[in-house]
């Protein structure tokens, strides 16, 4: 090879590298513009507050989250100190997670409604043809072949209406196939899982980003039998991918306004390790010499601008800051980057391209897989913020309520700590501690001070207690919770809680539930407008451009992103759906009980097909003798009346048994009470008897045993005398102590 040829190749390579450097500088310039504009807009300060408020961080407790921090000394020769808590340790620094409660409630409720276990978030239908619709509405002319013979549609001659109906049926069938393929792509890309992350970002900081679709290499495995054996086939294909993107890493064109797709470009940030960069050299779409250049330079481009303050570790590590630029690039620049798919004979001067830059060096440039050049970033705001692509979420809406509840709670806890103890005032000239220590302890001894003129030492002490302001602070905290409900439009009833304003009647409850879901309707429409419609449109374009998709799935279709509205309305109508049971059984309304039960099961996220009868079971039931609806209704009423009578009879028997048990219990209680009183009375009489005998013995100066013996002797004589008195001519063995006059003759007191 001649020196002239070699010199020409060197010049061409130098020109190519110069174009690469110019392309990298152009991307870096636009990147810096987008980064600085977002920083100056103040939205990053809002995001920082929302992030910290969700985690429970503010200026009062920041030291508790940041850990030990070395602080400079006040004096030149002073040591370094570590701050581990707030400067004023006597003040409460608690953070009530009010913001996190409303952020999680909003994201969870919305995810539950718009991301069901079954059902597609969209539908495709063939675009209506006016001429075709006209033919369908007309009677139609009869069709014949080239020989003049009539074309038959079954047993009748075919008409233009039949032909139009066939064309429409074919178009609808192709639309259903395309709809199924797009839905399969979304399932394989974990659309629901990524959307849950997006919805959480949207609720937390006001905006969420779903990157879809983008080219993703996907590996599939299949097993086949070959010559009596088993062969494993591994197939790698390019499929549309979907992924959640941190809004902190997205930088749209400053002139995009409220829609990132209105800008000329958009930039995404990512982070690579050196190992990952080395692995990229094996990919033919990357420029190996540019990657070597970046590895030699090191990660000197990791500025950390526009990053979340909670991601300090990323700024301090050794990862490389990678930037993905989506926008238009000239044909010569893309050829210098050896982008695939560009022909020198192509008359286009600019292409929609994706340029990957590290340290301002272009390591890759490819053509956008979508001819429309649409950005794969679908940005959804929770609530619209005028003039900005960033929305307003519950994290920001709770700012006032969060500040009020924190201030009131901290004041209440600080006041509780102060009111729990006493303020002690001591006259040191009147009293002194016996041990010389002025610390207040239990059982402490104090002396009256020498020379004290106070006659009452109790006046030397005075205790003062601060009043507790808990009721007043609690009223402010409750007010803050009402502010949170009104600011976020997420009432407690949507969080499964009730309060003083919750109605007791069913109608009032249903009305409140419907009104509480107004926010969900609005945000659900945001999902349709900003994500579902755009993602399906991009996937539809991917389907049309993908050569691996069969032609019978490609056509002119209309996209209906009905997911959010339909699913939210279904969620709201669940209560009424369950109350239709009695109406469904009435044939006058013409409602299918089978389809009604399917809707009820679907509303509870159950598989209706797994519970419904099979065709064979339905056929077996159809062969059984059918009962007229009137007779069946009469039987049902009769069974209901019988069950009602049995229930009333059982209730009556229960009442009789209860009354009997109550009377029996009362009689037993009265008997036990009488026995207890009798035993107590007898015990009291025995005690009195013993006391009387003891008193008698003391007065007679005899022992108690002698008294008991005399009493026993007297009792025996009286008993014998009583028995002898019953006999005629009985003798007298005992003389009465006294014999009142007029009651018996002398000497016959025991006889008369």
């Amino acid at each position: 090879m001649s020196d002239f040829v070699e010199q020409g190749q060197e010049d061409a390579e130098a020109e190519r590298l110069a174009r690469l450097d110019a392309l990298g500088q152009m991307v870096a310039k636009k990147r810096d513009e987008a980064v600085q504009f977002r920083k100056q807009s103040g939205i990053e300060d809002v995001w920082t507050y929302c992030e910290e408020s969700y985690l429970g961080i503010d200026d009062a407790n920041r030291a508790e989250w940041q850990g030990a921090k070395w602080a400079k000394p006040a004096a030149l020769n002073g040591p370094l100190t570590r701050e581990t808590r707030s400067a004023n340790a006597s003040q409460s620094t608690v953070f009530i997670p009010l913001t996190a409660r409303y952020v999680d409630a909003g994201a969870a409720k919305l995810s539950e409604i718009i991301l069901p276990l079954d059902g597609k978030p969209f539908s495709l239908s063939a675009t209506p043809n006016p001429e075709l619709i006209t033919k369908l509405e007309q009677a139609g002319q009869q069709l014949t072949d080239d020989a003049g013979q009539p074309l038959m549609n079954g047993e009748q001659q075919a008409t233009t209406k039949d032909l139009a109906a066939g064309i429409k049926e074919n178009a609808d069938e192709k639309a259903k196939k395309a709809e199924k393929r797009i839905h399969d792509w979304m399932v394989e890309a974990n659309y629901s899982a990524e959307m849950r992350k997006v919805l959480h970002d949207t609720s937390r900081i006001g905006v969420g980003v779903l990157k879809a679709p983008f080219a993703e290499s996907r590996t599939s495995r299949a097993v086949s039998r070959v010559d009596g054996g088993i062969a494993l086939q591994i197939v790698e294909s390019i499929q549309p991918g979907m992924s959640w993107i941190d809004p902190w890493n997205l930088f749209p064109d400053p002139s995009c306004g409220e829609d990132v797709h209105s800008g000329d470009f958009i930039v995404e940030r990512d982070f690579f390790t050196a190992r990952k960069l080395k692995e990229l050299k094996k990919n033919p779409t990357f420029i190996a010499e540019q990657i070597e250049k970046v590895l030699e330079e090191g990660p000197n481009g990791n500025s950390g601008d526009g990053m979340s303050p909670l991601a300090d570790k990323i700024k301090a590590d050794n990862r490389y800051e990678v930037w993905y630029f989506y926008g238009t690039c000239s044909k010569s620049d893309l050829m210098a980057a050896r982008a695939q798919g560009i022909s020198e004979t192509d008359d286009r001067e600019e292409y929609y391209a994706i340029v990957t830059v590290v340290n301002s060096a272009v390591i890759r440039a490819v053509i956008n897989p979508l001819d429309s050049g649409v950005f794969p970033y679908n940005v959804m705001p929770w609530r619209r913020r005028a003039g900005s692509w960033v929305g307003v979420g519950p994290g920001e809406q709770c700012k006032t309520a969060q500040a009020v509840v924190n201030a009131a709670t901290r004041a209440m806890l600080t006041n509780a700590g102060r009111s729990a103890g006493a303020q002690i005032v001591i006259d040191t000239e009147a009293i002194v501690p016996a041990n010389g220590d002025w610390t207040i302890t239990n059982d402490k001894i104090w002396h009256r001070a020498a020379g004290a003129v106070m006659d009452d030492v109790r006046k030397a002490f005075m205790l003062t207690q601060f009043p507790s302001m808990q009721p007043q602070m609690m009223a402010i905290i409750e007010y803050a919770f009402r502010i949170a409900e009104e600011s976020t439009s997420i009432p407690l009833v949507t969080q499964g809680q009730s309060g003083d304003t919750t109605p007791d009647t069913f109608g009032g409850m249903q009305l409140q539930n419907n009104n509480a879901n107004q926010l969900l309707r609005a945000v659900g429409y945001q999902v349709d407008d900003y994500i579902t419609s755009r993602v399906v449109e991009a996937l539809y374009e991917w389907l049309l451009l993908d050569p691996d998709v069969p032609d019978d799935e490609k056509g002119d279709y209309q996209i209906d992103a009905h997911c959010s509205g339909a699913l939210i309305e279904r969620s709201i109508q669940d209560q009424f759906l369950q109350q239709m049971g009695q109406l469904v059984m009435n044939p006058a309304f013409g409602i299918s009980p089978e389809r009604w039960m399917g809707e009820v099961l679907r509303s509870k996220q159950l598989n209706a097909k797994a519970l419904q009868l099979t065709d064979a079971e339905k056929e077996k039931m159809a062969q059984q003798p059918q009962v007229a609806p009137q007779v069946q209704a009469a039987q049902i009423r009769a069974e209901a009346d019988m069950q009602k009578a049995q229930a009333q009879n059982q209730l009556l028997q229960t009442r009789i048994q209860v009354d009997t048990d109550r009377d029996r219990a009362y009689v037993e209680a009265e008997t036990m009470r009488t026995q207890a009183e009798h035993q107590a009375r007898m015990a009291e009489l025995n005690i009195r008897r013993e006391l009387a005998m003891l008193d008698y013995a003391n007065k007679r100066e005899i022992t108690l045993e002698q008294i008991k013996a005399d009493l026993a002797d007297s009792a025996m004589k009286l008993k014998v005398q009583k028995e002898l008195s019953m006999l005629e001519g009985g003798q007298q063995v005992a003389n009465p102590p006294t014999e009142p006059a007029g009651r018996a003759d002398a000497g016959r007191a025991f006889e008369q």
Side-chain angles (χ1 to χ4, degrees):
M1 184 181 294
S2 64
D3 295 340
F4 178 77
V5 175
E6 292 180 356
Q7 184 64 35
Q9 291 178 349
E10 293 178 357
D11 293 343
E13 182 65 17
E15 182 181 358
R16 187 182 73 84
L17 294 178
R19 281 192 170 275
L20 275 181
D21 292 340
L23 178 60
Q25 294 298 327
M26 182 270 294
V27 172
K29 181 180 179 181
K30 292 186 176 182
R31 171 200 67 193
D32 295 340
E33 291 178 359
V35 171
Q36 292 301 320
F37 177 80
R38 200 187 75 180
K39 184 177 182 180
Q40 295 173 1
S41 67
I43 196 61
E44 293 183 2
D45 296 333
V46 176
W47 287 357
T48 300
Y49 167 80
C50 294
E51 297 274 15
E52 293 182 344
S53 183
Y54 179 78
L55 295 176
I57 304 174
D58 63 0
D59 294 337
N61 65 351
R62 193 174 304 278
E64 302 173 6
W65 288 86
Q66 293 178 345
K69 274 194 170 183
W70 291 103
K72 295 181 179 180
L76 294 177
N77 57 352
L80 292 176
T81 59
R82 251 187 332 190
E83 181 183 0
T84 58
R85 60 179 302 176
S86 60
N88 191 351
S90 64
Q91 299 289 335
S92 174
T93 60
V94 298
F95 194 106
I96 306 301
L98 179 66
T99 300
R101 169 182 178 178
Y102 280 89
V103 167
D104 292 340
K109 187 66 176 179
L110 196 61
S111 299
E112 178 186 359
I113 293 178
I114 69 172
L115 299 175
L117 298 178
D118 60 343
K120 295 183 288 293
F122 70 98
S123 62
L124 296 182
S125 59
T127 302
N129 188 337
E131 182 180 356
L132 193 64
I133 295 176
T134 301
K135 291 182 179 180
L136 288 173
E137 294 176 350
Q138 295 175 353
Q141 299 178 357
Q142 295 181 348
L143 299 177
T144 58
D145 57 10
D146 296 338
Q149 298 296 325
L151 295 175
M152 304 302 294
N153 181 18
E155 298 180 356
Q156 298 180 354
Q157 185 175 359
T159 63
T160 55
K161 182 177 181 180
D162 298 332
L163 179 61
I167 296 174
K168 183 178 184 305
E169 182 179 356
N170 184 33
D172 292 339
E173 184 177 348
K174 293 172 62 176
K176 293 303 177 185
K177 291 182 179 180
E179 177 183 317
K180 183 178 184 299
R181 180 174 294 273
I182 292 177
H183 184 247
D184 290 342
W185 281 343
M186 298 176 71
V187 172
E188 293 175 359
N190 294 326
Y191 171 80
S192 298
E194 300 300 321
M195 272 300 298
R196 276 188 282 270
K197 301 177 186 177
V198 173
L199 294 177
H200 191 266
D201 281 348
T202 306
S203 180
R204 191 178 72 257
I205 63 176
V207 65
V209 182
L210 179 68
K211 185 177 182 180
F214 60 90
E216 183 180 42
S217 178
R218 196 167 297 156
T219 302
S220 60
R221 295 173 175 82
V223 178
S224 60
R225 295 185 178 274
V226 179
D227 298 333
I230 298 177
L232 177 63
Q233 298 179 352
I234 300 178
V235 180
E236 291 188 1
S237 59
I238 302 298
Q239 299 290 338
M242 301 181 185
S243 175
W244 158 84
I245 297 297
D246 189 352
W248 284 94
N249 293 329
L250 189 68
F251 300 89
D253 185 352
S255 61
C256 70
E258 296 186 15
D259 188 2
V260 297
H261 295 273
S262 299
D264 292 335
F265 67 92
I266 193 169
V267 182
E268 178 196 351
R269 174 177 51 202
D270 199 357
F271 295 92
F272 283 179
T273 61
R275 178 181 177 182
K276 189 171 184 179
L277 279 177
K278 293 178 182 178
E279 293 176 353
L280 293 179
K281 292 192 298 183
K282 303 177 183 179
N283 192 326
T285 61
F286 286 86
I287 308 174
E289 58 269 23
Q290 291 289 94
I291 296 178
E292 288 290 345
K293 175 183 175 182
V294 170
L295 292 174
E296 292 177 0
E297 294 176 354
N300 56 9
N302 191 350
S303 62
D305 290 338
M307 292 182 58
S308 169
L310 305 178
D312 293 337
K313 294 182 180 180
I314 297 180
K315 294 189 291 185
D317 65 12
N318 294 323
R319 285 191 286 179
Y320 291 82
E321 206 170 29
V322 184
W323 300 89
Y324 302 106
F325 171 84
Y326 286 78
T328 56
C329 294
S330 64
K331 178 180 178 180
S332 56
D333 289 341
L334 294 177
M335 293 184 66
R338 299 170 183 171
Q340 299 178 358
I342 298 179
S343 175
E344 294 183 358
T345 59
D346 194 346
D347 56 354
R348 286 188 293 176
E349 294 296 330
E350 290 186 339
Y351 289 84
Y352 295 112
I354 307 171
V355 181
T356 306
V357 176
V358 182
N359 289 358
S360 299
V362 178
I363 65 172
R364 186 192 189 199
V366 295
I367 299 177
N368 195 321
L370 301 180
D371 289 346
S372 62
V374 63
F375 303 145
Y377 300 99
N378 304 279
V379 179
M380 172 198 162
W382 183 271
R383 280 189 182 178
R384 174 176 171 267
R385 188 192 300 269
S388 176
W389 59 277
V390 178
V392 181
E396 183 180 355
Q397 295 166 348
C398 282
K399 183 175 182 180
T400 301
Q402 184 69 72
V404 172
V405 73
N406 280 348
T409 303
R410 290 169 180 174
M412 181 179 65
L413 295 180
T414 301
N415 171 256
R418 292 175 178 174
S419 62
Q423 303 296 317
I424 304 174
V425 180
I426 301 177
D427 187 354
T428 58
E429 296 181 356
I431 59 174
V432 292
N435 59 357
D437 186 4
W438 290 91
T439 305
I440 304 297
T441 60
N442 295 331
D443 301 328
K444 192 175 185 66
I445 300 175
W446 300 80
H447 295 313
R448 181 176 178 182
V453 296
M454 185 179 296
D455 56 349
D456 188 358
V457 295
R458 291 177 297 179
K459 298 180 180 179
F461 276 91
M462 184 176 67
L463 301 179
T464 301
Q465 190 173 17
F466 290 120
S468 176
M469 307 301 293
Q470 180 180 357
Q472 292 82 347
M473 294 297 102
M474 284 301 301
I476 297 177
I477 293 173
E478 294 294 336
Y479 172 66
F481 275 85
R482 290 199 300 270
I483 293 177
E485 290 189 60
E486 295 174 359
S487 301
T488 61
S489 298
I490 305 178
L492 290 175
V493 67
T494 61
Q495 303 178 38
Q497 300 184 22
S498 59
D500 297 337
T501 60
T502 304
D504 296 332
T505 62
F506 173 77
M509 178 68 72
Q510 187 176 17
L511 178 62
Q512 187 182 40
N513 289 339
N514 292 337
N515 294 335
N517 286 288
Q518 289 179 354
L519 171 69
L520 301 178
R521 289 191 183 97
V523 181
Y525 296 144
Q526 297 279 82
V527 176
D528 283 343
D529 296 340
Y530 287 90
I531 292 186
T532 307
S533 297
R534 290 177 174 176
V535 169
V536 176
E537 287 177 1
L539 290 175
Y540 170 55
E541 182 179 355
W542 188 295
L543 180 142
L544 296 177
L545 298 174
D546 192 345
D548 296 332
V549 176
D551 292 338
D552 61 350
E553 297 181 14
K554 300 179 181 180
D556 188 9
Y557 306 136
Q558 284 184 336
I559 300 173
D560 180 17
H562 59 271
C563 167
S564 303
L567 294 175
I568 288 176
E569 293 299 332
R570 181 195 299 178
S571 175
I572 296 173
Q573 296 169 2
D574 280 349
Q575 293 183 352
F576 179 72
L577 189 65
Q578 299 177 24
Q579 300 167 17
M580 292 175 57
Q582 298 179 355
L583 301 178
V584 170
M585 300 307 298
N586 191 337
F589 295 103
I591 301 177
S592 171
E594 181 179 356
R595 288 194 289 271
W596 168 78
M597 180 54 66
E599 291 294 328
V600 173
L601 296 176
R602 191 178 296 109
S603 67
K604 299 303 179 183
Q605 299 185 0
L606 298 174
N607 187 2
K609 294 182 179 180
L611 301 176
Q612 290 176 346
L613 296 173
T614 62
D615 295 339
E617 292 173 340
K618 292 179 181 178
E619 183 178 357
K620 183 178 179 181
M621 291 185 61
Q623 295 176 358
Q624 297 179 356
Q626 300 293 329
V627 182
Q630 296 80 0
V631 177
Q632 188 175 7
Q635 292 177 352
I636 294 174
R637 286 195 297 269
E639 292 177 359
D641 294 339
M642 183 178 298
Q643 293 177 358
K644 183 178 179 181
Q646 292 177 355
Q648 292 178 350
N649 185 27
Q650 184 177 1
L651 179 60
L652 180 60
Q653 295 296 331
T654 303
R655 287 180 177 177
I656 295 174
Q657 184 66 31
V658 169
D659 293 341
T660 304
D661 294 341
R662 184 174 61 249
D663 294 341
R664 183 184 298 110
Y666 176 77
V667 172
E668 292 177 355
E670 287 294 320
T671 303
M672 293 176 62
R673 185 177 65 82
T674 303
Q675 292 177 354
E677 290 180 353
H678 174 71
Q679 293 176 359
R681 183 62 178 169
M682 293 302 297
E684 181 181 0
L685 291 176
N686 289 333
I687 293 174
R688 290 184 178 181
R689 176 176 173 273
E690 294 292 335
L691 292 175
M693 292 172 58
L694 183 60
D695 182 64
Y696 181 80
N698 291 333
K699 291 181 179 180
R700 299 295 188 276
E701 296 181 355
I702 58 178
T703 62
L704 189 61
E705 287 73 12
Q706 293 176 350
I707 295 176
K708 291 182 177 180
D710 294 343
L711 289 175
D713 182 65
S714 300
M716 186 179 298
K717 289 181 179 181
L718 290 174
K719 183 177 181 182
V720 173
Q721 184 63 62
K722 181 178 180 182
E723 292 177 354
L724 292 176
S725 300
M726 301 301 295
L727 300 175
E728 184 176 358
Q731 299 179 357
Q732 182 172 344
V733 295
N735 296 321
T738 59
E739 187 175 350
R743 300 188 62 180
D745 296 337
R748 304 188 64 182
F750 291 98
E751 297 179 4
Q752 297 181 355

